[in-house]
Amino acid sequence: SVGSSSGVASSASARIRADRDNMLSLLILDAASFLGTAAPRFTHPPSHRAANVRLAASAPSEELRSWLMAEAGVAPQFVDRVIETCDREMIGNLNGLRIARDAGLLPGFFPAVVALGIEEGLGRITAPSVAVAAAQVSAVVQELADEADAAALAPGASLECDPYHAIAANLPLNTYKNKAPLAGAIISAKRIVGPAAPGEVCHIRIGTGDKFRYWEGQSLGVIPPGVNAKTGKPNAVRLYSIASTRYGDDAKGSSVSLCVRRALYWDADTGAHDPAKKGVCSNFLCDSSPGDEVHLTGPTGKVMLMPEHEPATDLIMLATGTGIA
């Protein structure tokens, strides 16, 4: 909570600036959605993109000036003063004003009548249409994708629902079952923790073509090859949280990614790892090579989905290990 003292307000203001530096591209996309304008295009090389985005986020736009007069009721003779305040507080778009409002900072930044007008104006803003949001996401994805050919997938009906929050009615569930899994192929398996980390976590990319559709918050099953040494039967399915968005890391909707911690058993008596007790599936995935076949089931799960129909919902999420994905 934000108190009324100037020290607390200053601290909150600093936090807002820090948060904005960490999530600039997301904020710009969000602001573009609210303004109904195209998402910004990045023309600089990757090493200069951050500075380019910071400039775009911090410089108050003409759209913001127009919005202040048309929607917040700021008189033309006073709008320059309000813009100067926005510039000083690094508020360059409507999303910045919304963050300041949610933190209770507007009355500390602006005169009471201006703060009230901004709050009322923000309250009248509605969410962008699915088509507009999809077009903006597609534009950013095309610009930031690593592969030269990732002009990629324009999010279409197979990856979206209308209205955008009607997830439950369009949720794919158990498309592939244990007896008839999907045969995917490993794209890459890369260690994503430092050499001194206690344990190993790998980012696993699996190619699925356009056959495996899922939603953020769901899980999938992996059936490791081989048989169970104790039962002599094929290995059982293991469930993993999906770590990629429904577009996949390639932004084409043709892959799914996992974050997997390699499961090893340390035997204190021998002072070494016991290979007989290591995790079958996690080691299979972490040791895999591009092109290796992997059998997938699912997707499954409908309790970890975001409440898109209530965008203002507060979320408290706790997880351990790679479940944070």
Side-chain angles (χ1 to χ4, degrees), residues 17-304:
R17 295 189 181 107
D19 287 347
R20 185 175 294 116
D21 280 340
N22 290 334
M23 301 180 68
L24 283 170
S25 57
L26 177 60
L27 296 183
I28 289 177
L29 175 60
D30 198 29
S33 299
F34 281 110
L35 291 169
T37 60
R41 310 239 350 143
F42 304 114
T43 56
H44 296 295
S47 60
H48 299 300
R49 280 179 182 155
N52 186 44
V53 176
R54 269 195 294 273
L55 178 61
S58 61
S61 63
E62 286 303 314
E63 289 86 354
L64 179 58
R65 180 186 296 272
S66 300
W67 184 88
L68 287 168
M69 291 187 289
E71 302 295 335
V74 178
Q77 63 267 35
F78 299 127
V79 71
D80 285 340
R81 297 185 188 179
V82 177
I83 288 294
E84 288 175 3
T85 300
C86 291
D87 191 23
R88 185 179 66 248
E89 300 299 333
M90 295 183 68
I91 298 175
N93 46 45
L94 292 183
N95 200 67
L97 286 176
R98 187 176 59 174
I99 293 173
R101 177 201 63 186
D102 294 345
L105 296 175
L106 289 181
F109 291 163
F110 306 102
V113 66
V114 174
L116 181 60
I118 292 174
E119 287 193 17
E120 292 182 349
L122 291 173
R124 290 191 292 270
I125 294 178
T126 57
S129 69
V130 172
V132 171
Q136 292 164 351
V137 170
S138 180
V140 173
V141 165
Q142 290 179 17
E143 201 62 44
L144 298 181
D146 293 330
E147 293 83 7
D149 64 343
L153 169 76
S158 61
L159 296 180
E160 302 293 342
C161 54
D162 191 2
Y164 71 93
H165 55 74
I167 299 173
N170 297 277
L171 193 66
L173 282 172
N174 299 313
T175 308
Y176 297 94
K177 299 178 172 58
N178 295 12
K179 293 184 178 180
L182 172 68
I186 296 293
I187 298 174
S188 63
K190 298 181 179 179
R191 179 186 174 102
I192 56 174
V193 294
E200 180 179 14
V201 178
C202 293
H203 184 75
I204 314 294
R205 290 181 59 199
I206 304 172
T208 59
D210 60 357
K211 300 177 181 178
F212 195 82
R213 291 289 175 248
Y214 55 91
W215 211 267
E216 293 85 353
Q218 290 191 291
S219 302
L220 62 75
V222 176
I223 303 176
V227 297
N228 187 308
K230 294 181 179 180
T231 65
K233 296 180 180 180
N235 282 317
V237 64
R238 270 73 165 178
L239 202 62
Y240 292 94
S241 300
I242 296 175
S244 52
T245 71
R246 76 197 86 147
Y247 307 107
D249 289 350
D250 58 3
K252 299 178 182 179
S254 61
S255 69
V256 62
S257 295
L258 309 174
C259 286
V260 178
R261 180 183 174 94
R262 185 191 295 273
L264 299 173
Y265 179 81
W266 179 263
D267 190 324
D269 293 333
T270 63
H273 290 292
D274 185 347
K277 297 180 180 180
K278 70 179 183 180
V280 172
C281 195
S282 65
N283 281 272
F284 159 67
L285 291 171
C286 291
D287 290 334
S288 62
S289 300
D292 288 353
E293 187 174 75
V294 55
H295 290 164
L296 306 176
T297 66
T300 185
K302 55 184 179 180
V303 298
M304 284 295 293

